[in-house]
Amino acid sequence: MYTYLKKFVFLALLIPALAHSQDKNVIIRVVQDNESSRLDNFETNLLLKRSSFKFQILLNNVEGVYVFASVRDSVYRFTENSPIRDFEYLNLLELRDGDKNNTNRELNLSETGWSYWFYKDSADWHSFNRKSVGLGEIGIVCTKAIRQFYDVPNNKVLKMRNMETPLYLYFVAVKEFDKDGKPLTELMRRKVRIEWTDED
């Protein structure tokens, strides 16, 4: 009887721990100098200097996050609960990313495609800076440093210091894919509007 009781207590403690370790979660921060803004709300407005900044992203049981970035505000057509157009085809709308391990420190700008920022231990390269921070069951923190923008349609680099228009970003994390890698359900979404200041 005592042996059965021990097994029951062990399973009762183990199952919640396993369930917690398998939870999926994504947390995004925008960091510049010593200032950090966590994107807890669906919509966030930020004011940044025209200098390098970075995204710090916690991935917990999630491989990556889709990012739509543009200098036009078309991304704002998506509300907090509205369907995202072509959500099930996000993997087919991925922009080609030749910036392995974020060597160029670039953010792709496009009106038609999405970047996919991912991290996999088994991959030869990933979308973030080379160094990441593992937090055990909590997940892994990856950094995407940005020092310039890449205008995908026009195939040209845009310098940060020359930015005159706001930057619009839309983040989407997928909760579940089908067997062919097609997105099925959404985990989270965030949209960000970044304006620029000339302050040092």
Side-chain angles (χ1 to χ4, degrees):
M1 179 69 178
Y2 180 68
T3 303
Y4 287 115
L5 183 59
K6 282 201 302 183
K7 287 182 178 179
F8 176 78
V9 172
F10 175 75
L11 288 173
L13 294 173
L14 178 63
I15 291 172
L18 288 174
H20 176 72
S21 67
Q22 293 172 358
D23 284 348
K24 296 185 177 184
N25 191 25
V26 174
I27 297 174
I28 303 171
R29 288 183 181 273
V30 180
V31 182
Q32 188 176 62
D33 299 334
N34 296 321
E35 299 293 325
S36 173
S37 300
R38 178 169 157 168
L39 308 183
D40 287 326
N41 299 318
F42 165 65
E43 185 172 350
T44 303
N45 294 310
L46 297 175
L47 184 63
L48 298 183
K49 294 183 289 187
R50 290 183 178 86
S51 60
S52 299
F53 64 95
K54 59 189 175 184
F55 297 96
Q56 289 181 335
I57 301 181
L58 169 69
L59 300 172
N60 184 15
N61 293 312
V62 178
E63 182 184 281
V65 60
Y66 284 95
V67 185
F68 186 98
S70 176
V71 292
R72 297 184 180 89
D73 63 358
S74 60
V75 71
Y76 271 57
R77 68 182 179 271
F78 298 134
T79 65
E80 189 168 5
N81 299 307
S82 66
I84 295 176
R85 183 181 176 186
D86 296 327
F87 172 78
E88 64 271 27
Y89 301 113
L90 282 178
N91 59 327
L92 301 178
L93 297 173
E94 288 179 27
L95 298 170
R96 184 177 179 182
D97 191 355
D99 190 10
K100 297 181 178 180
N101 299 314
N102 199 33
T103 304
N104 296 330
R105 306 292 194 264
E106 288 179 344
L107 176 64
N108 287 329
L109 303 181
S110 172
E111 279 295 298
T112 56
W114 296 69
S115 295
Y116 183 57
W117 297 353
F118 73 94
Y119 180 90
K120 282 196 296 190
D121 284 332
S122 59
D124 294 332
W125 65 278
H126 52 80
S127 309
F128 299 98
N129 294 9
R130 190 173 295 278
K131 290 185 178 180
S132 57
V133 179
L135 300 176
E137 289 187 356
I138 297 175
I140 187 166
V141 176
C142 301
T143 299
K144 180 85 167 174
I146 306 297
R147 69 181 179 192
Q148 60 191 20
F149 305 104
Y150 183 69
D151 183 349
V152 175
N154 296 307
N155 192 29
K156 67 177 182 179
V157 171
L158 304 177
K159 297 297 184 182
M160 189 88 65
R161 64 177 179 271
N162 296 328
M163 290 297 291
E164 297 294 337
T165 58
L167 175 66
Y168 299 91
L169 298 128
Y170 205 98
F171 296 89
V172 176
V174 176
K175 184 176 184 179
E176 184 182 9
F177 295 86
D178 70 8
K179 59 182 177 60
D180 298 317
K182 184 178 177 180
L184 293 177
T185 57
E186 183 183 325
L187 178 64
M188 59 80 77
R189 64 173 74 180
R190 298 286 186 270
K191 69 178 179 180
V192 185
R193 183 177 191 263
I194 296 176
E195 293 188 272
W196 311 102
T197 177
D198 293 322
E199 294 180 8
D200 293 330

